[in-house]
Amino acid sequence: MTETIRTNRPLLAAGLLAGLLVASAALAPLIADARPAREIPVENVDESLTDPGADGWSDVPAATVPLASAPSDVPNADDTTVREVAIEAARSDEQLFVRLRWADPSADRSTDSPRAFADMAAIQFPVNATTQPAIAMGSRDNLVNVWQWSATATTQELLAGGIGTTTVFEQPQVATEATRTTIGEDEGWNVVFTRDLDAAADNRTQLDATTDMNVAFAFWNGENTERAGQKAVSEWYYFPFGPDDGGAPFQTILWAVAGAAIALVIAVTALSVRRAGQEGES
């Protein structure tokens, strides 16, 4: 009996390997067609959602985006406090609405003294919707638009072609509304950015694009004296403005692959234990 068991072990291993290869081959087309994990859904709506507390926001799916300190040479660049943000996006026939919600127990609205800094948030888009510029304010050949909200009740629309090249649009097309809200166990900000899809101007991002739109986010906590390059930022994410290719969500595919691998490991372990027991009995 012992010899038979030893002879079957290679066959068992070969069978399990063949099963893994078959499963991988079946999942490969799904992985190839999968949407990237950094998608932020955009809901089509028939109403205006400029109000951060509008009832319509309850029907808009949210994406939780992690944040990290921006790479920068400014003092205390790695000392930032905003860890994540909930982002919801909706689009009507005429406007794009983006709501940002993040925890910040202190509402810092004043810049009246040299040590007073306001809370701020910003959204960054490539000017050319088909590109993905350098994450740190783009580059000379690949510009970015930045929408910036400040708790001082000011909103700016900016153009940048690299760090230190920011220019303010004289006629901004972005509007914001902000309220305080509850985020988990803390208080925080609830800010809506609104802009017309068609806001034609040189070096302004066109939001009526029919391709997926890259987007990134930045936050400053005034209480922590965060300003300029001392900020919490995201990686590039994207709004799916392009046609739906029907691919399965990337996270779902990863979980399917992980589940198949775990099942195979359990099967190998169980059979090995069983064979070891049979050998011991023989």
Side-chain angles (χ1 to χ4, degrees):
M1 180 181 295
T2 302
E3 184 63 30
T4 301
I5 293 173
R6 288 177 178 172
T7 302
N8 286 340
R9 277 183 176 176
L11 295 176
L12 174 62
L16 290 172
L17 178 59
L20 180 58
L21 291 174
V22 169
S24 299
L27 290 170
L30 295 177
I31 295 173
D33 292 336
R35 296 190 301 270
R38 290 177 177 170
E39 176 182 300
I40 298 174
V42 178
E43 187 79 3
N44 291 319
V45 296
D46 298 323
E47 60 185 309
S48 173
L49 294 180
T50 57
D51 181 356
D55 292 339
W57 282 113
S58 62
D59 298 323
V60 178
T64 300
V65 171
L67 306 169
S69 299
S72 176
D73 293 332
V74 302
N76 302 316
D78 60 350
D79 180 16
T80 60
T81 58
V82 185
R83 302 298 181 218
E84 64 180 25
V85 57
I87 302 173
E88 297 144 293
R91 186 166 64 167
S92 68
D93 290 339
E94 298 180 348
Q95 293 181 306
L96 174 68
F97 313 96
V98 183
R99 185 168 76 159
L100 309 181
R101 294 181 295 125
W102 71 98
D104 184 351
S106 63
D108 304 296
R109 298 183 172 93
S110 175
T111 58
D112 292 340
S113 74
R115 297 297 296 172
F117 300 93
D119 296 328
M120 294 192 297
I123 304 176
Q124 176 177 274
F125 295 95
V127 170
N128 182 346
T130 65
T131 65
Q132 187 179 92
I135 190 69
M137 306 299 285
S139 66
R140 183 177 61 181
D141 298 324
N142 210 343
L143 307 176
V144 295
N145 277 170
V146 178
W147 305 351
Q148 189 175 72
W149 165 86
S150 171
T152 58
T154 60
T155 302
Q156 291 184 314
E157 187 178 8
L158 311 171
L159 177 68
I163 297 173
T165 64
T166 302
T167 302
V168 179
F169 278 84
E170 293 183 359
Q171 297 180 329
Q173 299 294 314
V174 178
T176 60
E177 290 191 25
T179 61
R180 296 289 290 171
T181 188
T182 300
I183 309 292
E185 298 180 353
D186 297 317
E187 281 194 311
W189 286 108
N190 186 2
V191 181
V192 172
F193 292 75
T194 304
R195 209 207 77 181
D196 289 347
L197 299 180
D198 184 10
D202 290 341
N203 294 322
R204 175 174 280 140
T205 303
Q206 294 304 301
L207 298 177
D208 56 356
T210 57
T211 185
D212 294 340
M213 177 73 69
N214 289 304
V215 61
F217 307 89
F219 299 85
W220 295 260
N221 180 4
E223 183 184 37
N224 195 45
T225 68
E226 296 172 24
R227 72 279 192 194
Q230 185 185 355
K231 58 187 175 182
V233 297
S234 74
E235 297 291 337
W236 281 113
Y237 281 71
Y238 78 96
F239 291 144
F241 287 174
D244 186 358
D245 60 8
F250 191 67
Q251 296 96 324
T252 301
I253 301 301
L254 291 180
W255 280 114
V257 173
I262 292 171
L264 286 171
V265 170
I266 292 174
V268 170
T269 302
L271 288 172
S272 297
V273 171
R274 180 181 177 185
R275 298 300 189 190
Q278 290 174 344
E279 288 181 2
E281 292 175 358
S282 63

